[in-house]
């Protein structure tokens, strides 16, 4: 269970330096990256493509190959000693030198790398925005991947694309190329981590039916504040907490009929820029009401995630966001803390829920123009899009954390954690696929025999509360280079203004009587134009 907390952003800083470097090297790169169509040594049944690179079987290369890889790093363990990467090196014959950056600083380092032209061979867990793919792909910094997919170097990816043509379309840029690969999970429900109720508070307040409207939610939060549900005789309960509203915003937007924080398409396919919608005013009005009555944590705009968790483990929080409730409240996984049912507001058609689109919005893997062997690299990453590779990278090597009960049926069972302790924490020490969004696919058979009662409970909660009102907020689309340049400039200023004004409206520094003035400013800054640009891309 990966605890992924990815904030959505469309902001990208373009640099002249990268353009100049790419322009100077584009001709050579095109020649260097043309696939070698001459077959390699015949090895019987094995299909060999470019000399020294097998299209089937292991090892991938006849001679050892060392490449450089840039990635985010959760900081749990040394990638050079991770059993998963060591096993993959043995299988493939390919070794990587890792250029890692902490999650918080990865975006800055990535921008510097693109600007300098000192590129790694591979970008892994790269969080490549659509704008970055278009910009650096068109400049020749990132190479097109579709020819390697179609020429037999990525059979797993090819099958996924053939079975799901929309996935291929969603990652094809306006110039007809695929410059990055997504993470694929067609069964996913959560786009962001959801909201939960503290089950102990529900029990103390004798709540047997969860709120279904914003007024009922308000009444519940007021009871949390006034009726001492943690039973310590103090008024230290915090009805609703947050960290800068980033954790609850998207979930709460659904109460007012909106599917996403920035851009979403409604059920009729009309694209909206959320911060200027009437539903956004409803959201701000409600949050301001909670703030004024101290039902929303007054440390919302100053606290850290760890400080929020400390309040949860001290049994002070009534409603909160996290990937799983026990991450905040402590204890063991259980069904005692129910998933929040999205509530209806005065907006017709509410509530709605922005569910996972089935593929990552950003690219997780790309190959740079510096890479001396893109064919072998595609074979390497393609393994992660099949059952065996996905098992290795997500659950570790066989007989370490798990073993087969029935290999033919792909049925597994967990083994005791070496040395004891938490299985998820140990998993972070053996694989890079921990705390970051990585290339690959989530297949239903991966967890045969491994699912717990808690997993089954989560499925039931999702099916009852989210799936019936869920819709993917927006298809993964690409603007043209000119459109992206315009959108990036507009959103740079809009994002800053919206974030500042949200805090002011919620805390009352800016009265909601000034809503019309705010909307006029948004439109002047390009809110309508953003919707127009993305409507065009959506229609295409």
């Amino acid at each position: 269970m990966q605890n992924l907390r990815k904030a959505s952003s469309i902001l990208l800083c373009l640099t002249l330096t990268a353009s100049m470097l790419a322009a100077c090297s584009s001709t050579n790169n095109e020649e260097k990256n043309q696939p070698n169509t001459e077959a390699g040594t015949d090895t019987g049944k094995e299909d060999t493509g470019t000399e020294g690179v097998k299209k089937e079987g292991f090892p991938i290369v006849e001679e050892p190959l060392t490449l450089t890889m840039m990635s985010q790093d959760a900081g749990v363990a040394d990638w050079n000693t991770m059993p998963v990467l060591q096993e993959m090196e043995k299988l493939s014959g390919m070794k990587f030198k890792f250029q890692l950056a902490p999650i918080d600083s990865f975006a800055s380092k990535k921008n510097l790398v693109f600007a300098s032209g000192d590129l790694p061979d591979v970008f892994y867990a790269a969080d490549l925005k659509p704008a970055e793919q278009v910009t650096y792909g068109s400049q020749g910094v990132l190479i097109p991947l579709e020819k390697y997919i179609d020429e037999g170097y990525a059979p797993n990816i090819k099958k996924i694309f053939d079975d799901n043509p929309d996935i291929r379309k969603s990652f094809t840029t306006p110039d007809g190329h695929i410059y990055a690969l997504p993470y694929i999970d067609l069964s996913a429900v959560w786009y962001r981590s959801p909201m939960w109720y503290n089950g102990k508070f529900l029990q103390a307040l004798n709540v047997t039916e969860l709120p279904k409207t914003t007024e009922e939610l308000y009444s519940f939060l007021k009871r949390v504040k006034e009726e001492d549900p943690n039973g310590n005789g103090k008024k230290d309960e915090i009805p609703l907490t947050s960290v800068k509203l980033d954790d609850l915003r998207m979930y709460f937007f659904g109460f007012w009929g909106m599917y996403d924080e920035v851009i979403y398409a409604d059920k009729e396919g009309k694209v909206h820029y959320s911060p200027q919608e009437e539903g956004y005013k409803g959201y701000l009005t409600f949050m301001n009401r909670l703030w004024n009555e101290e039902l929303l944590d007054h440390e919302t705009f100053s606290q850290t995630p760890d400080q929020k968790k400390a309040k949860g483990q001290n049994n002070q929080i009534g409603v909160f966001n996290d990937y799983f409730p026990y991450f905040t409240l402590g204890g063991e996984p259980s069904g005692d803390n129910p998933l929040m049912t999205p509530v209806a507001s005065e907006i017709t058609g509410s509530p709605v829920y922005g569910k996972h689109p089935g593929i990552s919005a950003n690219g997780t893997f790309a190959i740079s123009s510096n890479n001396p062997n893109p064919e072998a690299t595609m074979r390497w990453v393609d393994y992660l899009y099949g059952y065996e590779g996905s098992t290795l990278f997500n659950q570790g090597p066989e007989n370490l954390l798990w073993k087969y009960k029935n290999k033919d049926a792909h049925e597994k069972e967990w083994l005791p954690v070496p040395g004891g302790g938490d299985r998820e924490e140990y998993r972070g020490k053996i694989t890079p696929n921990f705390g970051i969004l990585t290339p690959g696919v989530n297949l239903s058979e991966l967890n045969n025999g491994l699912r717990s009662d808690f997993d089954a409970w989560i499925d039931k909660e999702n099916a009852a509360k989210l799936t019936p009102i869920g819709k993917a907020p927006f298809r993964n689309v690409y603007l043209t280079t000119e459109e992206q340049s315009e959108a990036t400039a507009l959103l740079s200023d809009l994002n800053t203004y919206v974030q500042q004004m949200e805090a002011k409206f919620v805390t009352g520094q800016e009265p909601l009587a000034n809503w019309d003035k705010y909307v006029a400013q948004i439109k002047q800054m390009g809110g309508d134009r953003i919707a127009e640009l993305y409507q065009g891309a959506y229609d295409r």
Side-chain angles (χ1 to χ4, degrees):
M1 296 180 292
Q2 283 188 319
N3 185 7
L4 300 177
R5 301 181 178 87
K6 294 287 182 184
S8 177
S9 169
I10 314 177
L11 177 64
L12 172 65
C13 297
L14 306 178
T15 64
L16 179 62
T17 307
S19 303
M20 294 172 63
L21 287 167
C24 292
S25 60
S26 61
T27 303
N28 290 336
N29 289 335
E30 288 175 7
E31 293 175 1
K32 181 171 85 172
N33 292 309
Q34 280 297 111
N36 186 340
T37 55
E38 295 180 6
T41 305
D42 185 4
T43 55
K45 294 182 179 179
E46 292 174 341
D47 182 7
T48 304
T50 293
E51 185 175 354
V53 180
K54 298 177 185 176
K55 287 187 175 180
E56 297 178 358
F58 285 117
I60 293 171
V61 289
E62 295 177 358
E63 298 293 332
L65 176 65
T66 299
L67 301 173
T68 56
M69 174 187 287
M70 181 179 180
S71 180
Q72 303 181 69
D73 180 17
V76 177
D78 182 357
W79 285 34
N80 292 292
T81 59
M82 284 182 176
V84 165
L85 293 172
Q86 291 177 333
E87 178 68 15
M88 191 61 180
E89 183 181 338
K90 291 178 189 174
L91 285 172
S92 66
M94 297 170 61
K95 179 180 178 62
F96 286 94
K97 293 182 178 179
F98 303 109
Q99 301 171 0
L100 306 177
I103 294 171
D104 291 344
S105 61
F106 178 77
S108 297
K109 183 171 181 180
K110 180 175 61 174
N111 287 338
L112 289 173
V113 164
F114 279 129
S116 70
D118 185 15
L119 302 169
D121 298 315
V122 167
F123 290 92
Y124 185 89
D127 194 30
L128 289 160
K129 311 292 190 291
E132 291 174 315
Q133 296 170 45
V134 170
T135 300
Y136 298 117
S138 63
Q139 293 174 357
V141 177
L142 302 178
I143 68 169
L145 305 180
E146 69 277 358
K147 61 184 176 183
Y148 305 111
I149 296 171
D150 294 334
E151 290 174 4
Y153 293 100
N156 290 319
I157 296 171
K158 180 71 161 57
K159 184 178 188 309
I160 292 171
F161 283 180
D162 288 347
D163 292 345
N164 304 275
D166 281 352
I167 294 180
R168 181 168 190 145
K169 291 178 185 177
S170 293
F171 261 72
T172 300
T173 59
D175 63 3
H177 293 305
I178 298 171
Y179 294 110
L181 299 175
Y183 172 74
I184 301 168
D185 184 355
L186 298 179
S187 64
V189 176
W190 301 345
Y191 194 44
R192 306 279 176 78
S193 50
M195 304 294 298
W196 308 92
Y197 286 101
N198 183 333
K200 291 180 179 178
F201 283 18
L202 295 175
Q203 188 174 14
L205 297 173
N206 296 314
V207 175
T208 57
E209 189 171 332
L210 298 179
K212 293 182 180 177
T213 67
T214 52
E215 279 303 310
E216 290 177 6
L217 176 60
Y218 164 79
S219 298
F220 169 76
L221 296 175
K222 199 164 182 65
R223 290 190 66 194
V224 170
K225 177 178 171 58
E226 296 175 349
E227 297 182 28
D228 191 28
N230 67 10
N232 65 358
K234 303 176 184 178
K235 283 202 169 185
D236 61 346
E237 288 84 358
I238 302 167
L240 173 66
T241 193
S242 175
V243 177
K244 298 180 181 177
L245 302 179
D246 290 339
D247 46 3
L248 63 74
R249 187 182 299 112
M250 184 165 167
Y251 206 88
F252 271 50
F253 268 26
F255 305 170
W256 284 271
M258 299 180 292
Y259 288 98
D260 190 72
E261 302 167 57
V262 184
I263 295 289
Y264 71 92
D266 62 24
K267 292 179 179 178
E268 284 71 46
K270 181 181 178 182
V271 175
H272 301 262
Y273 178 57
S274 302
Q276 65 184 26
E277 294 294 305
E278 193 64 25
Y280 187 64
K281 180 183 179 182
Y283 157 79
L284 292 176
T285 303
F286 185 72
M287 300 306 290
N288 174 249
R289 181 185 185 189
L290 300 186
W291 180 274
N292 288 339
E293 298 190 34
E294 296 186 352
L295 305 181
L296 172 62
D297 194 343
H298 274 210
E299 294 183 344
T300 285
F301 295 101
S302 60
Q303 70 180 344
T304 65
D306 286 341
Q307 288 171 328
K308 183 185 84 168
K309 285 182 186 295
K311 294 172 182 176
Q313 295 184 12
N314 201 34
N315 198 31
Q316 291 179 265
I317 302 173
V319 180
F320 59 94
N321 167 284
D322 210 330
Y323 197 76
F324 293 128
Y326 69 93
F327 286 176
T328 289
L329 299 178
E332 298 298 318
S334 75
D336 296 335
N337 305 291
L339 182 72
M340 180 188 235
T341 303
V343 297
S345 68
E346 69 279 6
I347 298 292
T348 303
S350 65
V352 299
Y353 174 70
K355 77 180 186 72
H356 199 291
I359 59 175
S360 57
N362 298 328
T364 60
F365 186 90
I367 299 175
S368 84
S369 56
N370 279 1
N371 192 306
N373 200 324
E375 295 87 355
T377 306
M378 283 301 298
R379 276 289 327 274
W380 187 93
V381 74
D382 183 67
Y383 188 60
L384 280 61
Y385 286 86
Y387 171 79
E388 304 225 343
S390 189
T391 292
L392 173 63
F393 271 74
N394 287 292
Q395 296 165 349
E398 185 178 356
N399 297 320
L400 182 56
L401 280 178
W402 62 276
K403 68 177 182 180
Y404 278 115
K405 288 179 68 175
N406 183 336
K407 192 165 186 177
D408 291 340
H410 289 167
E411 185 181 0
K412 306 166 186 162
E413 63 180 335
W414 290 120
L415 295 172
V417 177
D422 182 79
R423 181 181 292 111
E424 185 68 4
E425 289 181 4
Y426 186 83
R427 195 180 69 82
K429 298 176 182 178
I430 66 173
T431 178
N433 288 23
F434 181 85
I436 53 178
L437 192 62
T438 55
V441 62
N442 184 26
L443 303 168
S444 59
E445 63 264 38
L446 282 177
N447 294 306
N448 286 356
L450 301 179
R451 293 180 57 77
S452 65
D453 291 341
F454 179 69
D455 296 325
W457 176 76
I458 291 289
D459 287 345
K460 289 181 180 178
E461 290 286 277
N462 286 334
K465 299 174 180 178
L466 300 183
T467 303
I469 59 171
K471 173 187 173 297
F474 201 69
R475 295 182 64 125
N476 194 58
V477 301
Y478 294 91
L479 303 178
T480 66
T481 303
E482 294 76 16
E483 289 171 339
Q484 187 61 66
S485 179
E486 181 182 1
T488 297
L490 292 175
L491 284 168
S492 176
D493 292 334
L494 281 167
N495 289 343
T496 300
Y497 179 69
V498 168
Q499 184 179 27
Q500 291 173 347
M501 292 304 294
E502 178 188 43
K504 288 181 179 180
F505 278 130
V506 170
T507 60
Q509 295 178 48
E510 184 80 16
L512 281 157
N514 290 342
W515 168 257
D516 289 343
K517 178 182 176 183
Y518 158 81
V519 171
Q521 179 65 24
I522 287 284
K523 290 180 179 295
Q524 183 179 339
M525 295 175 69
D528 287 342
R529 178 58 177 161
I530 287 295
E532 182 183 346
L533 288 169
Y534 280 92
Q535 183 74 65
Y538 185 87
D539 293 341
R540 288 196 298 266

